[in-house]
Amino acid sequence: MRLVLYQPDIPQNTGSILRLAACLGVAVDLIEPAGFVITDKGLRRAGLDYLPAATLTRHDSFAAFEAWRRQAGGRLVLVTTRAAMPYTEFAYRPGDWLMLGRESAGVPDAVHDLAEARVVIPMIPGMRSVNVAVAAGMILSEALRQTGGFPATGPAE
């Protein structure tokens, strides 16, 4: 299972997602261009000393990512406010690629249409969206729970 960030805008959110992924042993794919320089201090501040433990693959474009993903296999599962399927009712698989869109605009229609599945976080009426790092934690936790993908627990060092 992998997390995919589509052209992220905010370095602190990306850093938080990389920290989450490092702690849970999940790889992250980042589709560029990002709205910030990847070495930005905000990214380092949010990711703290966990960033070296993160497995990050950068892709120059969505087309480059999609070609790479199709060769690797697995379903593209898009987290979007335009989905009908609540994320808790979706049946995840270990090889799923969980994509989160830009904080400012989500993903373009062409990317939305290519996703094999789309899930939504149910919210009360009038709310637009939850923070992308929070969404990543919610969706990834449910996906790992369903697939038995959480790492074995042990004492903290």
Side-chain angles (χ1 to χ4, degrees):
M1 188 162 309
R2 301 174 75 93
L3 283 173
V4 182
L5 306 180
Y6 182 87
Q7 300 179 354
D9 293 319
I10 302 172
Q12 293 85 352
N13 287 336
T14 301
S16 294
I17 291 168
L18 288 170
R19 181 178 178 173
L20 170 73
C23 288
L24 297 178
V26 173
V28 176
D29 292 271
L30 191 148
I31 300 168
E32 299 196 49
F36 54 92
V37 178
I38 300 300
T39 58
D40 181 273
K41 68 179 182 178
L43 179 66
R44 288 193 311 271
R45 183 173 50 241
L48 299 174
D49 56 343
Y50 295 85
L51 291 184
T55 301
L56 174 64
T57 303
R58 293 166 64 180
H59 304 274
D60 291 335
S61 65
F62 178 74
F65 161 77
E66 185 60 7
W68 191 73
R69 182 189 70 87
R70 289 202 179 267
Q71 185 174 11
R75 280 186 310 186
L76 182 59
V77 179
L78 178 63
V79 180
T80 173
T81 58
R82 295 173 19 199
M85 171 70 70
Y87 79 100
T88 53
E89 294 178 22
F90 183 74
Y92 298 92
R93 298 178 194 155
D96 284 343
W97 302 65
L98 309 175
M99 178 181 274
L100 297 122
R102 296 184 78 151
E103 292 92 339
S104 62
V107 300
D109 288 341
V111 174
H112 192 276
D113 295 344
L114 281 174
E116 285 94 352
R118 293 161 206 84
V119 297
V120 64
I121 296 171
M123 294 178 284
I124 62 172
M127 297 293 114
R128 289 189 317 271
S129 65
V130 298
N131 174 278
V132 69
V134 172
M138 293 172 69
I139 304 295
L140 182 59
S141 291
E142 177 64 16
L144 292 175
R145 183 192 69 78
Q146 285 186 23
T147 60
F150 277 108
T153 58
E157 296 181 15

